[in-house]
Amino acid sequence: MSTLEECRSALDRLSENLGRANGDLRSAAALDRSLSCRITDLDVTFLGRLAQSRIQDVTTVPGPPPERAQIRLAMASDDLVALVDGRLNFAKAWGSGRIKFEAGLRDLLRLRSLL
């Protein structure tokens, strides 16, 4: 099981990667949406905002998210770290249920190139 600090570091790396993206990837990440990432095995949720191709204003709350974000992720801590490190394929993990990803249809279509 990864630590809270390792998960936060993974989210920071993901934000940096999004900020360095070019072309279609950059435009896909250019949404302005609320974001939650529930880490199931640590029983915490990271809340933030996907804006200007970065994850901004990240805070941590215990338990499930207090309100429904526009983009919602849920996964185990090790899966978050592996995903950001490139050791876990998002599509396979989502398809098998290891990662839960919810968003509006328009956002899903736009974000698919990131995933």
Side-chain angles (χ1 to χ4, degrees):
M1 179 168 38
S2 298
T3 66
L4 184 63
E5 293 78 22
E6 290 170 321
C7 291
R8 177 58 195 248
S9 177
L11 285 175
D12 290 343
R13 287 193 315 275
L14 177 59
S15 180
E16 290 171 18
N17 293 344
L18 291 173
R20 288 194 301 262
N22 293 315
D24 290 340
L25 291 177
R26 186 164 187 87
S27 73
L31 297 169
D32 184 7
R33 301 286 188 272
S34 59
L35 174 72
S36 69
C37 182
R38 173 126 169 84
I39 307 301
T40 54
D41 56 335
L42 297 178
D43 194 28
V44 298
T45 301
F46 291 97
L47 303 172
R49 186 143 205 98
L50 179 61
Q52 299 172 347
S53 300
R54 292 209 177 263
I55 302 171
Q56 303 177 0
D57 305 323
V58 177
T59 59
T60 307
V61 297
E67 56 189 53
R68 186 178 165 137
Q70 292 166 303
I71 299 171
R72 299 166 302 283
L73 293 154
M75 67 193 78
S77 58
D78 287 342
D79 288 341
L80 173 63
V81 173
L83 182 68
V84 174
D85 287 346
R87 294 181 283 118
L88 179 64
N89 178 281
F90 180 86
K92 288 181 183 178
W94 185 30
S96 70
R98 283 177 68 179
I99 294 176
K100 293 185 181 15
F101 176 69
E102 298 176 56
L105 182 59
R106 186 181 294 171
D107 291 341
L108 282 171
L109 292 173
R110 193 159 178 198
L111 290 169
R112 71 176 181 226
S113 61
L114 290 174
L115 311 172

